[in-house]
Amino acid sequence: MPQEENPHPKESPPPSNHSGKGSFLAELKRRKVYQVGLVYLGVGWLIIQVASSTFDDFGIPLWAYRFVVLMVALAFPIAMVLAWAFELTPEGVKLTKTAQAEAVQAANSPSHNRKRNLFAIAFAAGLPTLIFGTLALYFFLTRTEAAHVLDRSIAVLPFRSVSGEEENAYFCDGVHEDILTNLANFGALSVVSRTSVMRYHETEMSTPDIAEELDVAYVLEGSVQRAGNRVRVTAQLIDAAADAHIWAKNYDRDMTDIFEIQAELARSIADSLQAVITPEEIARLDTPGTKDPVAYDLLLRARAVGKILNISQDRRDELELALLTSALHVDPEYVDGWVALSRKHVHMYFGRTDPSEERLQKAREALDKAVSLDPDSAAVHLGFGNFYYYGFRDYARARTEYLRALRMMPNNVEVIAQLGYIARREGNWKEVHDRLQKAFALDPNNEALASDLMDVLHQHRHYKEALSIIEHMRRLMPQSDYWLTRESNEKACIARSTEPKTSLVEAYAETEIRDRFWLSFQRLWSFIETGDAEGFLHYWNGPMPQDGPFGDIREFAWFKHTEGLIYHMRGDENSLEKLLGNWERRLEAELAEDPDNQFRQFERAYIHALRGEADAAHRVMDAVMSFYEGVDVLNYTTFAQDRIRILPIIADPEETLDQLEVLLKEPSRMHTHNLRRQLHFYPLWDHPRFHAILDDPKNSAPLPFAGK
């Protein structure tokens, strides 16, 4: 009798795992371990690329990117273990033993296999994506914009010279300056300018206090020791808030390696501050202007000579030119040397120490040599900007060059400020304000920048904002008479009274004031603004400071004009002509040497006006103002203010008042509170329209920072 067929045959056992290497590899393939690994690696690599290109833009720190990379890497073996120990089935994740039994039943189902493949791919792609997404969201939500900014702000304090020889101080200063410049050329950093940090040379202030004063998160301190052909540079990076060292490094190398030391330091700092450095920035960092330490040393000596104050300007010019020429003789391909030489020539031209065409031609020749060596150098573009600005007053071409330089040195205070000064020449006050504010933020202890920004605010009648800058500088320089007098001036503008200014000078004995330039300056103006002719003459006829920041105070045209006005008021023709004769002789001698000096040319208008020669005075004023009209708002406005002080004695009152009304509608140093009894306007003291103009609130209201 035939045996019945068993309706439930025994299931075939799964392939044995103990049949050798081939069976093990086959099992890896069956369990989709290969597939999971390849997909995981591909997705993980893509995630790392996305993180590297986006984290910085969203303000997520560099350590967070490294953490993501680490977590993706660590999760890879975990994914492999899970792929081996578990099966990804259409019904979910199951232990391999259970999944194998079910797999036999569905072995002949193509749809079942496709689903298993899809679930394996989804697992391999989903795990690193989940890691990345969770961490990225956490870092993005927990980071703050303030921390992002502060984490990249740094002040590089003056390095100490420990060479034991005073003459090596210039070398230490030069190395410090170049390290700071390298850092400032990184767009991702915010670096306080050298002018501001030099205040802390040999200071007793603590590092946290310095950082707080400069508003930075990090401070770099260091020293330089030079002995023969060896140089040792030490540096330590400090977290200012914690007052803790992040790292300290020592570099003990030959002099020929000084440029490598500077580059390595810059990279270490940028890395510690989690700054992303572009390939272009790295290339510029690794390409010093020279590799010759002798040429470099001569350039540093030339820089140091330019800062010596106890020798004459002519002697400084002579020494600088000699040292720069020697540096270029040693290395004729020294780009920075050629740029420095051009800069020296053009400043001698602009500063009127040698306003000759030959001097300007020498500046051009040096720049041509520099651009032939490195046409893409930021220093070369800065040099051309200065050449066009100071040599030709060609502000359009200067701006183009400065903007090119700014793209390569985004924290360079000189470039930022120069763009602001061009805007000031053009009357684009919005840009002036914004540029100078940015420059001042990077260089908060720079007295010249503070004065320029304060002056912009003052001319727009934003007196309280101007006062805040003055108070900052007063804290830094409590002994400065300049900031002391500017403080009283701004308080007078806020109070709309001359009293704060007169109170300041009355607090000092006359003998003490006469020894101090700015207090004497303020004293004379207090007499002018209060209409005190006798007080002015009494003070004017006594001793006067002769070595102020602008030279002999007696040579100020405003004050000589005021003296002449008082003689004019009195009808004292003899005293008036004596004054004018001496003034005229000195003026003509100066113009014989420098006939294009428009400021000296304008003094002729004062002389003509005081002699009653109205037509001649108008011709001079018109000629000077037409020289600047449409091309230089700064100087045009300056002469417009000088003209309004001349007009009352030579023009119809209505013409003077018409021009006064125009002037008060534009940014200027004319302010209604101190004009009412000003000596220059004595013919208008009793004129009703004069007082109506001064009483009009629109003429004392703050002005907007207009742009183009």
Side-chain angles (χ1 to χ4, degrees), residues 313-314 317 343-356 359-360 386 389-391 393 594 597 600:
Q313 183 64 53
D314 289 344
D317 293 342
R343 182 190 189 95
K344 186 61 195 173
H345 286 311
V346 81
H347 280 195
M348 289 174 68
Y349 174 87
F350 184 80
R352 318 304 294 182
T353 57
D354 181 9
S356 66
R359 184 64 61 184
L360 202 56
N386 288 335
Y389 183 96
Y390 294 110
R393 294 185 173 86
D594 189 6
N597 190 321
R600 290 288 180 258

Side-chain angles (χ1 to χ4, degrees), residues 447-620:
E447 190 171 12
L449 262 180
S451 182
D452 289 334
L453 178 58
M454 178 271 299
D455 206 38
V456 170
L457 294 165
H458 176 76
Q459 291 184 58
H460 284 76
R461 303 198 278 265
H462 292 249
Y463 303 128
K464 290 183 179 178
E465 292 91 335
L467 182 61
S468 68
I469 293 175
I470 294 169
E471 290 173 340
H472 166 72
M473 299 308 296
R474 287 273 292 135
R475 288 191 292 272
L476 296 177
M477 305 175 182
Q479 305 303 318
S480 169
D481 285 346
Y482 173 74
W483 292 109
L484 175 65
T485 56
R486 291 311 303 248
E487 182 181 47
S488 69
N489 187 47
E490 227 56 36
K491 288 180 177 179
C493 291
I494 293 171
R496 292 189 51 75
S497 166
T498 59
E499 192 276 331
K501 296 171 73 173
T502 55
S503 294
L504 170 65
V505 290
E506 287 172 357
Y508 293 88
E510 184 172 308
T511 52
E512 184 178 2
I513 294 179
R514 288 188 181 278
D515 293 331
R516 299 163 67 171
F517 179 90
W518 286 111
L519 287 177
S520 290
F521 193 93
Q522 182 92 313
R523 188 56 164 152
L524 290 168
W525 267 107
S526 69
F527 290 129
I528 292 172
E529 291 175 350
T530 57
D532 187 351
E534 297 303 320
F536 179 91
L537 282 183
H538 166 76
Y539 195 81
W540 182 249
N541 288 327
M544 284 286 149
Q546 298 180 358
D547 58 351
F550 306 107
D552 189 343
I553 203 169
R554 289 193 181 280
E555 294 308 311
F556 274 66
W558 301 329
F559 295 148
K560 288 194 282 191
H561 175 60
T562 303
E563 180 186 5
L565 273 177
I566 295 172
Y567 297 144
H568 185 277
M569 292 170 65
R570 290 176 170 181
D572 187 347
E573 295 296 330
N574 291 333
S575 297
L576 178 58
E577 188 52 42
K578 181 180 178 181
L579 166 69
L580 298 181
N582 291 334
W583 189 354
E584 192 170 38
R585 283 189 292 274
R586 179 161 185 168
L587 179 61
E588 294 306 321
E590 292 176 347
L591 284 172
E593 294 183 4
D594 189 6
D596 295 329
N597 190 321
Q598 299 300 312
F599 288 87
R600 290 288 180 258
Q601 289 285 0
F602 197 86
E603 290 185 37
R604 286 174 164 167
Y606 288 111
I607 294 171
H608 287 309
L610 289 169
R611 283 184 172 144
E613 300 165 351
D615 291 343
H618 279 294
R619 281 196 301 271
V620 172

Side-chain angles (χ1 to χ4, degrees), residues 90-108:
E91 291 77 26
V93 178
K94 297 184 178 181
L95 285 170
T96 298
K97 182 178 179 181
T98 304
Q100 283 177 340
E102 295 176 352
V104 172
Q105 297 177 353
N108 297 321

Side-chain angles (χ1 to χ4, degrees), residues 121-254:
I121 292 171
F123 169 75
L127 181 59
T129 303
L130 179 64
I131 293 171
F132 168 73
T134 303
L135 293 173
L137 181 63
Y138 170 78
F139 292 130
F140 179 76
L141 293 178
T142 56
R143 71 95 172 90
T144 64
E145 190 63 29
H148 171 59
V149 174
L150 288 177
D151 279 352
R152 294 177 182 176
S153 59
I154 183 170
V156 183
L157 298 186
F159 279 26
R160 292 178 297 106
S161 176
V162 292
S163 299
E165 298 177 8
E166 186 62 30
E167 67 172 24
N168 278 326
Y170 78 91
F171 183 80
C172 178
D173 288 345
V175 171
H176 165 258
E177 182 173 352
D178 287 339
I179 290 172
L180 195 154
T181 299
N182 285 339
L183 289 174
N185 289 343
F186 294 156
L189 298 182
S190 176
V191 184
V192 175
S193 178
R194 186 174 188 273
T195 309
S196 286
V197 298
M198 289 308 293
R199 175 175 181 265
Y200 306 103
H201 185 62
E202 297 182 353
T203 183
E204 295 182 0
M205 290 179 64
S206 68
T207 299
D209 287 344
I210 294 173
E212 182 179 2
E213 194 165 270
L214 294 173
D215 193 22
V216 295
Y218 297 92
V219 171
L220 183 77
E221 297 177 345
S223 65
V224 177
Q225 183 176 14
R226 182 184 182 187
N229 195 42
R230 298 288 292 178
V231 61
R232 179 182 177 86
V233 177
T234 66
Q236 49 190 1
L237 185 64
I238 301 170
D239 181 335
D243 195 15
H245 288 70
I246 297 174
W247 52 251
K249 297 179 183 291
N250 295 318
Y251 302 89
D252 199 348
R253 312 269 183 87
D254 290 335

Side-chain angles (χ1 to χ4, degrees), residues 252-308:
D252 199 348
R253 312 269 183 87
D254 290 335
M255 268 294 299
T256 52
D257 297 326
I258 185 63
F259 310 109
E260 292 180 14
I261 295 174
Q262 294 168 350
E264 287 179 29
L265 256 178
R267 278 193 290 266
S268 295
I269 294 164
D271 185 59
S272 297
L273 271 60
Q274 304 155 13
V276 177
I277 309 174
T278 68
E280 293 80 7
E281 290 170 341
I282 293 174
R284 288 193 293 271
L285 183 66
D286 292 336
T287 311
T290 184
K291 294 184 178 180
D292 192 309
V294 176
Y296 179 64
D297 183 81
L298 288 166
L299 178 63
L300 296 189
R301 288 178 184 271
R303 284 186 198 167
V305 166
K307 299 165 188 172
I308 298 175

